């Protein structure tokens, strides 16, 4: 079986070499096709950080094992890591955080075991990077949460939790504030939960989740989160088990999957052969299990755990009174310990031996569209306008522009209602949202909204417009705070 390998930047080549050496010593039956990705590829003029040949190889092989990569600063290019995950629709980012005997933490010293799997949605949320300045003072980021995208990650999370006999699956979210976006994420969670009645499924607001993770991490098993919250919570979990050096990551998609460590290129220690290869090794072991090489994964993981247990450590962790092994020596110690079982946390060969079948090639973009059918009507529009006048003055202008079809409903500033009621103590910025709805609550045409846009634009600058939809009897937009 052939997989694509990108060594990465900074410490990437050192830790990748160590991991591949461990695989070779264990006679892992994989062949590696090295691909060109990373900072140096940006520097050669490839704007997405990979050569066309690399892209072709990865799409053909379906599996990429990658080292960390640096995104050049100040060149207006997007992160190669995020681009790779998004381009190939690796919708579920699985990060397993488990106590490793020999890696001391507050919890290991207190005898509290940790075994938490974070499943982070990997494509959507604010990671679309769709950002605009609406005025010179006001920046806006669009946050996408989609039903089909969320369903993909929920299905993966529940299936994985079920296979690993998880005691609990929790959804972390902020649906109390972001009722529509995180509300949709949560709705999909409970929709898929119905198909897994044997799993205890619950939800928790993300701030409460953070507090509980640092007080009772042993209460959690699988936790699924939107992209940004998942990113933050997974670094928190890395801290619980000893830091980024122990945080592996698998980006799972239907056609292509990417395995990498959570940490970055560690430029401060690059080229010194002192980096800890454990996170990349654990990511590689997740890849071996993904392709059905369970026995190799178990042997190597037991050797790693035995090595840690016996006190061998790199400079970033462990007993400061004993000399640190360098990257090469750490890998050597693991190789010497093949066949040994750690006293704590030994893993057994639990594979189903199903040989890995790469997904068939496709020649068109899959269109993800849900089949929910409800009547759909445009009932108004939110116009985001640039204005530095008082709300009442803006309201007078907008009422002038409303015409026969629209009535002015509210004006808000930074999401807080300032007209028709409000408080003069609400500070204003020079950008308002003005909500118009149809006079009789009836349905409008797009052309009506365009005509309204034009009338308003003669009076104030319109920065952007959002249609207000109604699906059946349900409003498909949020109310302003105080409305
Ligand atoms: P970083 O994770 O590279 O480093 C943070 C700290 O952790 C540093 O002190 C570093 O020495 C230490 N560290 C990280 N990995 C280690 C290891 N294996 N062994 C020992 N110590 C380790 O984060 P930073 O400095 O914010 O980012 C550096 C670069 O990495 C940036 O260009 C960033 O864009 C990139 N990056 C790439 C990622 C990826 O390829 N998936 C993920 C995160 C950052």
């Amino acid at each position: 079986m052939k997989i694509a390998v990108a060594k990465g930047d900074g410490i990437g080549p050192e830790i990748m070499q160590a991991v591949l050496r461990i695989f070779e010593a264990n006679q892992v039956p994989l062949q590696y096709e090295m691909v060109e990705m990373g900072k140096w590829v940006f520097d050669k003029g490839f704007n997405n950080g990979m050569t066309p040949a690399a892209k072709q190889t990865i799409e053909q092989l379906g599996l990429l094992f990658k080292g960390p990569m640096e995104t050049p600063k100040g060149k207006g290019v997007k992160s190669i890591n995020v681009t790779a995950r998004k381009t190939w629709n690796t919708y579920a980012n699985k990060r397993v955080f488990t106590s490793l005997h020999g890696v001391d933490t507050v919890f290991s010293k207190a005898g509290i075991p940790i075994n938490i799997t974070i499943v982070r949605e990997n494509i959507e949320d604010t990671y679309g990077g769709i950002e605009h300045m609406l005025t010179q003072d006001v920046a806006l980021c669009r946050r996408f949460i989609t039903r089909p995208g969320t369903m993909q990650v929920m299905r993966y999370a529940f299936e994985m939790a079920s296979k690993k006999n998880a005691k609990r699956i929790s959804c972390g979210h902020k649906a109390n504030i972001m009722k529509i976006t995180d509300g949709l994420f949560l709705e999909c969670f409970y929709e898929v939960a119905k198909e897994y009645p044997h799993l205890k499924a619950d939800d928790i607001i993300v701030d409460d989740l953070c507090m509980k993770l640092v007080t009772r991490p042993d209460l959690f098993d699988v936790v699924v989160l939107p992209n940004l919250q998942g990113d933050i919570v997974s670094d928190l979990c890395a801290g619980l088990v000893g830091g980024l050096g122990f945080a592996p990551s698998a980006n799972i998609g239907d056609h292509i999957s990417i395995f990498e460590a959570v940490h970055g290129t560690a430029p401060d220690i690059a080229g010194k052969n002192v980096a800890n290869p454990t996170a990349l090794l654990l990511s590689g072991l997740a890849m071996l299990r993904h392709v059905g090489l369970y026995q190799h994964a178990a042997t190597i993981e037991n050797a790693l755990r035995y090595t840690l247990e016996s006190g061998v450590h790199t400079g970033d962790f462990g007993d400061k009174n004993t000399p640190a092994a360098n990257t090469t020596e750490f890998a050597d110690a693991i190789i010497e310990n093949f066949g040994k079982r750690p006293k704590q946390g030994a893993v057994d060969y639990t594979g189903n031996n199903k040989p890995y079948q790469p997904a068939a090639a496709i020649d068109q973009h899959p269109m993800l569209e849900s089949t929910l059918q409800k009547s759909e009507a445009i009932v108004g529009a939110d116009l985001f306008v640039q204005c530095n006048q008082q709300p009442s003055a803006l309201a007078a202008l907008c009422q002038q522009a409303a015409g026969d079809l629209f009535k002015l409903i509210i004006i808000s500033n930074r999401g807080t209602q300032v007209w028709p009621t409000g408080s003069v103590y609400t500070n204003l910025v020079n950008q308002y949202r003005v909500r118009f709805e149809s006079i009789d609550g009836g349905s409008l045409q797009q052309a009506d909204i365009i005509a309204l846009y034009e009338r308003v634009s003669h009076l104030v600058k319109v920065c952007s417009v959002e249609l207000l939809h109604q699906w059946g009897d349900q409003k498909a937009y949020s109310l302003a705070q105080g409305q």
Side-chain angles (χ1 to χ4, degrees), residues 11 15 66-71 73 79-81 85 244-245 260-269 274-279 314 316:
I11 58 170
I15 55 175
K66 72 176 272 297
M69 289 173 191
E70 183 183 332
T71 306
K73 292 190 188 79
S79 153
I80 172 75
N81 307 303
R85 292 171 207 155
L244 284 177
E260 61 182 338
V262 170
H263 64 70
T265 59
D268 49 334
I269 55 169
V274 296
N276 178 0
T278 306
T314 47
D316 54 312

Side-chain angles (χ1 to χ4, degrees), residues 26 77 93-94 100 138 144 319 326 364 387 478:
N26 196 249
V77 293
N93 183 204
K94 179 186 177 195
L100 293 162
V138 180
F144 276 98
D319 185 354
N326 65 28
Q364 280 196 327
C387 175
S478 62

Side-chain angles (χ1 to χ4, degrees), residues 378-458:
I378 299 171
V379 294
D382 277 349
L383 271 56
F384 295 80
V385 301
Q386 179 166 351
C387 175
N388 59 7
Q389 299 181 46
Q390 288 296 305
S392 54
L394 176 62
L397 291 174
C398 290
Q399 275 164 331
Q400 221 178 301
D404 299 337
L405 293 176
F406 294 90
K407 61 181 177 234
L408 179 65
I409 303 290
I410 51 153
I411 298 178
S412 66
N413 195 293
R414 290 191 287 173
T416 306
Q417 181 173 323
V418 290
W419 185 92
T421 56
S423 163
V424 287
Y425 293 99
T426 303
N427 285 199
L428 303 175
V429 297
N430 64 359
Q431 190 264 318
Y432 287 93
R433 176 182 54 165
V434 182
R435 173 163 292 173
F436 292 93
E437 289 181 6
S438 65
I439 278 192
D440 53 3
S443 161
L444 298 157
Q445 304 299 316
Q446 278 205 73
D448 301 326
I449 308 292
I450 294 167
L452 172 71
Y453 182 118
E454 199 190 345
R455 290 196 298 274
V456 174
S457 70
H458 292 307

